């Protein structure tokens, strides 16, 4: 999918309980070169930085802010357009990385102390979900990732909820709303 088509297929505005906002280019670029201290953790580290470990043809990033005061989950999503073969490789290598990297990794001075696979959602052409816990100012911050492949597009959703960490996943209905836009 070329950059214009990808941008057009990416949700913006208020949808499904969140406001999808464009992210400043400088903010997005800051995570591009996240290198893990362990090579087997690189696919997970790249996603923590907002990119797939295999370079995409184009990417679109959005921040997700809850549109209800009752929802304490904040997060982001990004779409990475690949050839279908490369998108399948991203998913396969990410699965391998999740198995080989349970004790976490360090990158750009950040520490991720654990990587825990979760139940894979049954959406898209392929999907997986996991939680990584970063340490920020000696406080553990669990972040839940849901990564979905639809054709050659890899869509990553990331959520954090400091009040109830177990509720940090972006809801499946929100993810499906974005997947519909890719049809």
């Amino acid at each position: 999918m070329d950059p214009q088509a990808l941008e057009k297929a990416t949700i913006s505005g208020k949808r499904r309980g969140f406001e999808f906002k464009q992210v400043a280019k400088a903010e997005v670029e800051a995570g591009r070169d996240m290198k893990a201290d362990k090579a087997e953790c690189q696919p997970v580290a790249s996603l923590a930085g907002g990119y797939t470990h295999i370079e995409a043809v184009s990417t679109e990033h959005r921040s997700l802010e809850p549109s209800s005061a009752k929802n304490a989950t904040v997060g982001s999503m990004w779409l990475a357009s690949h050839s279908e073969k490369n998108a399948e490789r991203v998913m396969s290598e990410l699965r391998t990385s999740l198995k080989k990297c349970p004790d976490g990794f360090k990158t750009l001075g950040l520490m991720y102390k654990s990587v825990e696979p979760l139940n894979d959602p049954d959406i898209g052409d392929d999907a997986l979900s996991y939680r990584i816990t970063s340490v920020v100012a000696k406080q553990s911050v669990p972040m839940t990732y849901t990564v979905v492949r639809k054709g050659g597009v890899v869509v990553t959703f990331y959520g954090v909820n400091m009040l109830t960490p177990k509720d940090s996943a972006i809801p499946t209905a929100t993810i499906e709303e974005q997947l519909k836009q890719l049809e």
Side-chain angles (χ1 to χ4, degrees), residues 37-55:
D37 61 342
K38 301 177 209 162
E40 64 271 19
C41 299
Q42 190 57 52
V44 178
S46 292
L47 284 182
Y51 289 90
T52 52
H53 65 287
I54 296 170
E55 193 165 340

Side-chain angles (χ1 to χ4, degrees), residues 89-156:
R89 225 179 97 204
V90 166
M91 298 301 286
S92 169
E93 292 174 10
L94 180 58
R95 271 198 173 77
T96 300
S97 185
L98 290 172
K99 287 183 190 125
K100 292 185 174 181
C101 195
D103 299 327
F105 56 93
K106 290 180 185 154
T107 178
L108 296 180
L110 301 170
M111 177 156 154
Y112 295 89
K113 68 178 185 179
S114 69
V115 178
E116 171 195 1
L118 301 172
N119 291 333
D120 294 343
D122 187 18
I123 51 179
D125 296 325
D126 188 8
L128 56 85
S129 191
Y130 60 94
R131 184 169 293 132
I132 59 176
T133 301
S134 68
V135 179
V136 180
K138 297 184 181 170
Q139 184 175 359
S140 291
V141 180
M143 302 171 288
T144 302
Y145 284 76
T146 304
V147 186
V148 183
R149 179 182 69 79
K150 180 139 182 159
V153 178
V154 176
V155 186
T156 303

Side-chain angles (χ1 to χ4, degrees), residues 17 37 77 104 124 143 178 180:
D37 61 342
M77 83 166 182
M143 302 171 288
Q178 175 56 64
K180 275 187 224 153

